[in-house]
């Protein structure tokens, strides 16, 4: 039988339940406080980066940057080594540095000849009537053959010679990417053409290389040696022992010798050269430092050689006319001493083309 719910009983029951409700709320509050207290120390106890960790993190970042720079150097090597191949016109320090003082009348003409891959090369040829010698000139990496007509005349006047200023693939707006191998191949094509055009034996052609062109000239000597040919006279103007050596000194913080593909090792290339050598260098040259030119000179055990040093000539300065004249005289004298039985001069050469 249901009991009658007296208001007094209800109130009493409610009062009895209140302590239980307060107890649950207290327990819940205690749990929340405990959780907060336990979470707080966890957040507070999170370890801070140690000095060692910071060093490792910084080192890793620097390593990534270093590798990126190395990769960039490899990718950009041809642009750094052959800037002239990526410019329509060179940027000359001195616009008149190649112009002759008193040019002898004559026409510098384009001569077209084939490269090893069948493409056309366009050198600049000045045929000098009554010339005593024939000279192949190999230019540096920041200019084109067709910009050097003044120099071609100047060299012809000073040395009384027929002169071919050769060109390289990639320097003719042909989309070709030059390399050490391709520039040397092009020098071989040029000397063969000059020999045929002037009816001059290759051994009697004087080779003159400037800056990177000197490295090409040394590579030419090695390539000719491999096929049983040689030249008797070589002039190197502001040239290095190796392009890799120059690069390694300039970028001392990078493993240039390991990364560089186009090393132009002139010392190795001239290992079998036994002709006459003349080197010209400027003391304050910072692009190809004197020490690199001298290292090449000192590495060669040649009996007939000479060194001309100009105390005030920087890398892109005009070579004084007097120095150019003396260089020609000295190189010819050295050649005649090295090959006394060889008949050099106009009797063996026919500067005019057939």
């Amino acid at each position: 039988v249901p009991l009658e719910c007296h208001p007094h009983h209800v109130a009493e029951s409610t009062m009895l339940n209140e302590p239980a409700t307060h107890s649950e709320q207290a327990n819940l509050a205690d749990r929340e406080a405990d959780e907060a207290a336990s979470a707080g120390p966890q957040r507070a106890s999170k370890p801070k980066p140690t000095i060692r960790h910071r060093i490792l993190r910084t080192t890793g970042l620097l390593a990534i940057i270093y590798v990126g720079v190395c990769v960039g150097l490899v990718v950009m090597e041809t642009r750094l080594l052959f800037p002239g191949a990526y410019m329509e016109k060179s940027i000359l320090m001195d616009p008149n540095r190649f112009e002759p003082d008193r040019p002898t009348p004559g026409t510098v003409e384009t001569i077209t000849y084939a490269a090893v891959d069948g493409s056309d090369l366009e050198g600049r040829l000045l045929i000098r009537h009554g010339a005593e010698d024939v000279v192949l000139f190999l230019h540096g990496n920041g200019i084109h053959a067709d910009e050097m007509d003044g120099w071609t005349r100047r060299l012809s006047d000073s040395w009384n010679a027929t002169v071919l200023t050769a060109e390289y693939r990639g320097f003719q707006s042909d989309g070709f990417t030059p390399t050490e191998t391709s520039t040397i191949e092009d020098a071989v094509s040029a000397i063969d053409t000059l020999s045929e055009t002037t009816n001059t034996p290759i051994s009697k052609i004087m080779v003159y290389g400037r800056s990177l062109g000197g490295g090409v000239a040394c590579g030419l000597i090695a390539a000719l040696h491999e096929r049983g040919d040689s030249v008797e006279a070589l002039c190197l103007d502001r040239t290095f022992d190796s392009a890799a050596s120059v690069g390694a000194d300039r970028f001392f913080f990078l493993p240039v010798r390991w990364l560089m593909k186009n090393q132009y090792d002139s010392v190795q290339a001239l290992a079998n050269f036994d002709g006459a050598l003349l080197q010209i260098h400027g003391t304050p040259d910072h692009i190809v430092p004197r020490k690199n030119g001298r290292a090449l000179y000192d590495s060669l055990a040649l009996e007939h050689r000479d060194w001309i040093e100009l105390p005030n000539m920087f890398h892109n300065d005009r070579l004084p006319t007097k120095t150019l004249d003396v260089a020609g005289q000295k190189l010819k004298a050295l050649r005649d001493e090295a090959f006394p039985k060889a008949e050099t001069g106009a009797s063996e050469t026919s500067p005019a083309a057939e």
Side-chain angles (χ1 to χ4, degrees):
V1 179
L3 297 176
E4 183 180 359
C5 293
H6 194 277
H8 175 73
H9 292 159
V10 173
E12 189 178 50
S13 175
T14 303
M15 292 178 64
L16 290 174
N17 290 333
E18 284 180 356
T21 303
H22 291 311
S23 176
E24 290 176 359
Q25 292 176 349
N27 291 337
L28 179 61
D30 290 342
R31 284 197 300 269
E32 290 177 351
D34 291 341
E35 290 175 1
S38 61
Q42 288 179 1
R43 288 194 295 266
S45 64
K46 185 177 181 180
K48 295 181 179 180
T50 63
I51 295 178
R52 180 174 178 273
H53 179 73
R54 291 175 180 175
I55 291 175
L56 290 175
R57 185 169 59 185
T58 303
T59 302
L61 179 60
L62 292 175
I64 293 173
I65 294 173
Y66 186 82
V67 171
V69 172
C70 291
V71 171
L73 185 64
V74 172
V75 172
M76 296 295 292
E77 179 181 333
T78 55
R79 287 185 175 272
L80 293 171
L81 196 58
F82 308 106
Y86 300 91
M87 299 186 297
E88 292 185 5
K89 294 292 180 182
S90 68
I91 302 174
L92 301 178
M93 295 292 183
D94 177 5
N96 299 314
R97 63 179 172 153
F98 297 127
E99 293 304 314
D101 297 329
R102 293 177 298 277
T104 299
T107 303
V108 182
E109 299 178 323
T110 296
I111 179 171
T112 303
Y113 50 98
V116 293
D117 61 1
S119 61
D120 288 340
L121 288 165
E122 295 183 346
R124 298 291 289 172
L125 176 66
L126 192 157
I127 294 179
R128 186 183 187 89
H129 298 289
E132 296 177 356
D133 287 288
V134 177
V135 178
L136 172 65
F137 178 75
L138 299 166
H139 67 74
N141 64 353
I143 198 168
H144 309 96
D146 62 4
E147 295 179 279
M148 302 199 70
D149 287 358
W151 167 256
T152 302
R153 289 179 177 277
R154 201 174 159 218
L155 182 57
S156 176
D157 293 344
S158 178
W159 290 18
N160 189 20
T162 287
V163 178
L164 169 61
T165 296
E167 190 56 288
Y168 316 119
R169 281 170 291 171
F171 284 70
Q172 304 178 138
S173 301
D174 51 12
F176 186 88
T177 300
T179 64
E180 177 182 2
T181 299
S182 72
T183 54
I184 293 171
E185 290 173 343
D186 295 343
V188 172
S189 298
I191 200 169
D192 286 342
T193 298
L194 185 58
S195 175
E196 295 173 4
T197 302
T198 61
N199 194 28
T200 304
I202 285 178
S203 62
K204 304 302 179 185
I205 296 176
M206 305 174 77
V207 176
Y208 188 137
R210 174 180 292 143
S211 190
L212 185 76
V216 176
C218 295
L220 168 63
I221 300 298
L224 292 175
H225 177 78
E226 288 181 1
R227 73 180 198 185
D229 283 325
S230 62
V231 298
E232 295 178 352
L234 173 64
C235 180
L236 298 177
D237 182 353
R238 290 163 269 193
T239 298
F240 42 71
D241 50 347
S242 76
S245 179
V246 175
D249 288 341
R250 183 170 300 173
F251 302 101
F252 61 89
F253 52 90
L254 296 174
V256 172
R257 297 180 191 277
W258 293 355
L259 297 174
M260 197 167 180
K261 296 179 181 179
N262 303 284
Q263 302 238 341
Y264 285 101
D265 190 341
S266 301
V267 173
Q268 180 62 36
L270 294 183
N272 297 302
F273 180 62
D274 60 357
L277 170 69
L278 181 75
Q279 276 189 249
I280 306 169
H281 222 101
T283 307
D285 192 333
H286 297 303
I287 296 177
V288 177
R290 174 197 178 276
K291 72 172 186 176
N292 294 100
R294 191 70 198 190
L296 172 59
Y297 185 81
D298 292 339
S299 72
L300 303 174
L302 292 174
E303 181 180 355
H304 304 282
R305 62 177 182 167
D306 204 349
W307 172 270
I308 297 176
E309 185 167 334
L310 285 78
N312 299 312
M313 185 179 72
F314 289 84
H315 191 75
N316 289 315
D317 284 352
R318 176 184 176 92
L319 184 67
T321 299
K322 182 178 180 181
T323 303
L324 181 59
D325 293 343
V326 170
Q329 295 165 7
K330 284 191 172 186
L331 184 57
K332 293 178 183 183
L334 289 168
R335 176 194 61 190
D336 294 342
E337 290 174 5
F339 304 96
K341 294 181 181 180
E343 296 182 7
T344 58
S347 60
E348 281 195 274
T349 64
S350 176
E354 294 295 337

